[in-house]
Amino acid sequence: MEGASFGAGRAGGAIDPVDFLKQPQTILRLATWIFSIVVFGSIVNECYVNKDSQDPELLCIFNENESACSYGIAVGLIAFFGCIFFFVVDLYFQQISSVKDRKRAVLLDLGFSGFLSFLWFVAFCFLANQWQQTTMSTGVLQGADAARAAITFSFFSIIVWVALAVKALQRYRLGTDMSLFATDQFAADPNAAYPGYPTGSGIESTETYQSPPFTETLDANPKGYQVPAY
């Protein structure tokens, strides 16, 4: 569907599910959706551990910093629901007839993708830094794999969201081909020639000139007028 209006064909066109799923943008969204599940799922399920067997209190595995776990979960949930929202927008994008609405959707996608790229960058740096400062214990070792998975997929999420931002920027620069919204003046057949200037019947008229609109018969000697004699 590359080409016509912000990367999609004319409004109202049929949607091919196979072609839609093969689009790079759709694949990237599915990847970010899975990555977000891995990050916040790993933190929620396995990154709250007991400091020791004698203490039942659950602490964040990242240097016992609750902010690190909360931030990772929050960014993961934002990315999760954001992916679902923009997946639906992509699915119905071709049904949007208004060029202004298409432009708003692309700009929203661009801004959100750039914002999530920044959030994931902060999440990766924050979690990696706190993990380096974490003191290894029995509880920490049990959730170490989940912590590493959260850090790793945070890094992968940066790359994918940057790629989505680039795709949105390309769609915005593509802009709109306004000829798609003025097709009624052309013939239905795409191979038909452009209508030319109307021509005559092909029979040349024998009258070269027409009579002037106002004509008068000028009499050399009008009545009541005499030529003076000299």
Side-chain angles (χ1 to χ4, degrees):
M1 294 192 300
E2 294 296 329
S5 177
F6 294 102
R10 75 180 62 179
I15 300 175
D16 188 343
V18 177
D19 290 341
F20 175 75
L21 293 175
K22 288 181 179 180
Q23 289 181 6
Q25 187 168 323
T26 304
I27 296 173
L28 291 173
R29 292 210 193 281
L30 291 174
T32 58
W33 185 69
I34 295 173
F35 293 168
S36 65
I37 294 175
V38 172
V39 173
F40 78 77
S42 298
I43 296 176
V44 170
N45 292 327
E46 300 185 44
C47 288
Y48 284 94
V49 297
N50 302 105
K51 187 174 183 180
D52 52 55
S53 58
Q54 304 299 326
D55 189 355
E57 183 182 2
L58 294 177
L59 300 174
C60 178
I61 198 173
F62 295 100
N63 197 29
E64 300 182 8
N65 188 342
E66 179 63 27
S67 298
C69 287
S70 299
Y71 184 82
I73 294 172
V75 176
L77 289 174
I78 293 173
F80 176 81
F81 290 109
C83 287
I84 295 176
F85 173 78
F86 283 102
F87 185 85
V88 175
V89 171
D90 291 341
L91 185 61
Y92 290 98
F93 187 80
Q94 192 164 327
Q95 306 303 317
I96 301 176
S97 59
S98 173
V99 178
K100 292 183 178 180
D101 290 341
R102 287 191 176 196
K103 183 178 180 180
R104 293 190 188 101
V106 173
L107 288 176
L108 181 62
D109 185 12
L110 176 59
F112 186 80
S113 299
F115 180 63
L116 260 292
S117 301
F118 172 75
L119 291 183
W120 278 121
F121 175 76
V122 175
F124 170 73
C125 295
F126 191 16
L127 295 178
N129 176 264
Q130 293 300 304
W131 180 247
Q132 289 178 347
Q133 301 179 26
T134 301
T135 302
M136 291 298 167
S137 63
T138 304
V140 171
L141 291 174
Q142 292 177 352
D145 291 339
R148 296 189 185 98
I151 296 171
T152 301
F153 283 94
S154 295
F155 176 76
F156 290 158
S157 296
I158 300 172
I159 299 174
V160 180
W161 278 104
V162 168
L164 283 171
V166 172
K167 290 292 295 181
L169 181 60
Q170 290 175 346
R171 295 172 69 188
Y172 177 74
R173 288 181 174 178
L174 187 63
T176 304
D177 181 4
M178 293 304 296
S179 64
L180 288 175
F181 301 92
T183 53
D184 292 340
Q185 60 181 320
F186 300 105
D189 185 4
N191 298 322
Y194 187 87
Y197 187 83
T199 59
S201 62
I203 302 175
E204 185 176 356
S205 175
T206 57
E207 297 181 1
T208 306
Y209 300 99
Q210 294 181 352
S211 300
F214 301 100
T215 58
E216 292 183 358
T217 303
L218 299 178
D219 191 353
N221 295 314
K223 295 180 180 181
Y225 181 80
Q226 296 181 354
V227 179
Y230 295 100

